[in-house]
Amino acid sequence: MTSASPDPSVPVVLSVLGRPPTGRPPGVLAGCDGSDGSLWALDRAMTEAERFGLPLYVLAVVNPAPAGYPPGMAELVQESVETLVESMADGLRRAVAAVQRARSGPYEGALSLHVVLGNVIEVLLAASARQHTLVVGTRGNGGFDRLLLGSVSSAAVHHAACPVLVVPAPPLPQPVAS
């Protein structure tokens, strides 16, 4: 997938409480970290949402301090966290724009984008409650290319509160024999 300019008309719901949005009708939930795998999963999530006539929730999770901050440090890094969240929101808009451009037709369903602060696995699992389907790629930006499933997709398969669709990378084009 190629990068595309973000569509500023697509609102992004920011949750800094570490909790995914609740109180919405069940839909298709797509985890998106901007990796190729998450873009392929987002494309499939759009197809699933259209097929079943469900809303599509695209969720990006930002974990600014995996180990937490020492006392007093959270206030000092607040501006950096806000910049990180804004950057993730922009990246999420770009991901949706790129997938929409690559599709044979535009996505026509209800779409909402969400950026949540917290642990990726914990937030995705909590967000999977009451959803029709959770769609993730086989691997994200974790950097362990040798793994068949990344830690997020593996945790989703084993612990999500809804069915999980794990989208593999598309097959590589085969060279044409001459």
Side-chain angles (χ1 to χ4, degrees):
M1 303 263 169
T2 60
S3 74
S5 59
D7 182 353
S9 69
V10 177
V12 178
V13 177
L14 304 176
S15 170
V16 295
L17 302 175
R19 289 185 219 117
T22 58
R24 296 171 185 256
V28 175
L29 175 66
C32 187
D33 65 2
S35 65
D36 285 345
S38 73
L39 297 181
W40 298 318
L42 178 56
D43 180 45
R44 181 57 186 264
M46 287 180 177
T47 300
E48 293 293 311
E50 288 173 330
R51 179 175 294 145
F52 292 105
L54 296 169
L56 174 61
Y57 306 112
V58 184
L59 177 64
V61 182
V62 179
N63 195 359
Y69 295 114
M73 190 64 145
E75 295 81 23
L76 295 175
V77 298
Q78 183 61 38
E79 186 176 326
S80 296
V81 170
E82 290 170 5
T83 301
L84 182 61
V85 168
E86 289 171 17
S87 176
M88 184 59 99
D90 184 57
L92 195 54
R93 284 188 198 97
R94 287 178 185 276
V96 169
V99 170
Q100 288 196 40
R101 284 191 177 94
R103 291 172 55 89
S104 58
Y107 175 72
E108 299 293 337
L111 170 71
S112 62
L113 310 179
H114 305 268
V115 175
V116 178
L117 287 176
N119 175 282
V120 175
I121 293 171
E122 290 173 7
V123 171
L124 264 180
L125 294 178
S128 72
R130 295 190 55 248
Q131 297 303 325
H132 181 272
T133 310
L134 169 60
V135 183
V136 293
T138 52
R139 288 188 316 262
N141 285 324
F144 295 102
D145 289 341
R146 68 186 178 276
L147 297 177
L148 294 176
L149 282 181
S151 59
V152 172
S153 55
S154 181
V157 166
H158 293 288
H159 303 289
C162 67
V164 177
L165 174 58
V166 179
V167 179
L172 296 173
Q174 298 298 316
V176 179
S178 28

